[in-house]
Amino acid sequence: MNIYAGTYEGSQLVGRFMGNGKYKYKDYVYEGAFFDGLFHGQGTLYVKKGKFEGLWEKGKLIEGGFVFEDGLKHRQVENEYWDYCSIYDPRFHHEIESGIELGDPLVMETPLVNPPTLPEGCYDVLEGYYDPKKNTVMSYTIDEPIRKVSPDEHDWIIKNCRYVKKSEKRKTEIKTQS
């Protein structure tokens, strides 16, 4: 069926998309359930670089989320946080796929060309450095506060981020938990 924009193959009721079908528009394809002309039920919307898959209600994705073409799942719509490299799970997608369990030593680091020099007793959080005495992330470039951190983020930083021991002035190392 040709419509105003795109094409549709599938069930209809009174001229509206109803039941299972396939809707194509430019580079986008939706395959799945429809109700009253809207995405409704299980379905997948294929777009450049990935797809949105999950449960739809009246045209809106309510469960599931975006999956990149390499298989990496973006934050699911029903979750508040991204599932990778978060304060709740510091593992990269590849580490999870490789079977590294939460709490195991991490094998990957965010690559940095010329990593910045950390002040003594501080932790590298990429956007700046975390000073636990001030409970603040500071800018590397202008040595000004960027933001305060929550108690959960503080704990995560202490367990996972690159830091400089006070006894080793200006020497940067990776802290490991024993």
Side-chain angles (χ1 to χ4, degrees):
M1 169 181 182
N2 284 325
I3 50 179
Y4 292 113
T7 59
Y8 175 74
E9 300 168 14
S11 304
Q12 296 180 52
L13 183 63
V14 192
R16 308 276 295 171
F17 308 161
M18 189 70 77
N20 287 320
K22 185 175 189 176
Y23 174 70
K24 296 179 184 179
Y25 176 72
K26 295 185 180 182
D27 294 331
Y28 309 102
V29 176
Y30 173 82
E31 290 183 276
F34 289 86
F35 181 79
D36 197 25
L38 299 172
F39 304 165
H40 194 84
Q42 282 299 126
T44 303
L45 175 62
Y46 298 92
V47 297
K48 289 181 181 179
K49 306 289 183 186
K51 61 188 176 184
F52 292 92
E53 63 181 7
L55 183 64
W56 302 77
E57 186 176 279
K58 298 179 183 174
K60 181 178 178 183
L61 186 63
I62 60 167
E63 287 181 18
F66 188 78
V67 180
F68 292 96
E69 60 191 348
D70 67 357
L72 173 64
K73 290 183 180 177
H74 188 274
R75 179 183 63 83
Q76 302 292 286
V77 295
E78 62 271 21
N79 297 340
E80 187 175 351
Y81 299 100
W82 168 269
D83 293 333
Y84 309 100
C85 300
S86 72
I87 62 173
Y88 300 101
D89 189 343
R91 298 172 297 167
F92 284 87
H93 174 66
H94 176 74
E95 291 174 315
I96 293 170
E97 295 295 313
S98 298
I100 293 172
E101 297 292 325
L102 186 59
D104 287 350
L106 302 177
V107 296
M108 300 181 76
E109 295 177 45
T110 301
L112 295 175
V113 177
N114 302 321
T117 303
L118 289 169
E120 247 180 65
C122 294
Y123 297 78
D124 181 16
V125 293
L126 294 181
E127 68 183 293
Y129 64 89
Y130 174 61
D131 185 338
K133 289 181 181 173
K134 297 178 183 175
N135 194 40
T136 303
V137 174
M138 304 290 289
S139 168
Y140 277 116
T141 55
I142 58 174
D143 201 34
E144 300 251 336
I146 295 175
R147 62 183 174 82
K148 294 283 189 185
V149 302
S150 70
D152 285 344
E153 185 179 15
H154 166 87
D155 293 344
W156 187 90
I157 291 169
I158 300 302
K159 290 177 186 172
N160 296 287
C161 292
R162 184 170 67 94
Y163 82 114
V164 174
K165 288 182 180 178
K166 290 182 180 182
S167 62
E168 297 180 23
K169 192 158 180 89
R170 294 291 195 207
K171 182 179 177 192
T172 303
E173 65 177 44
I174 301 297
K175 180 179 180 179
T176 58
Q177 300 298 311
S178 46

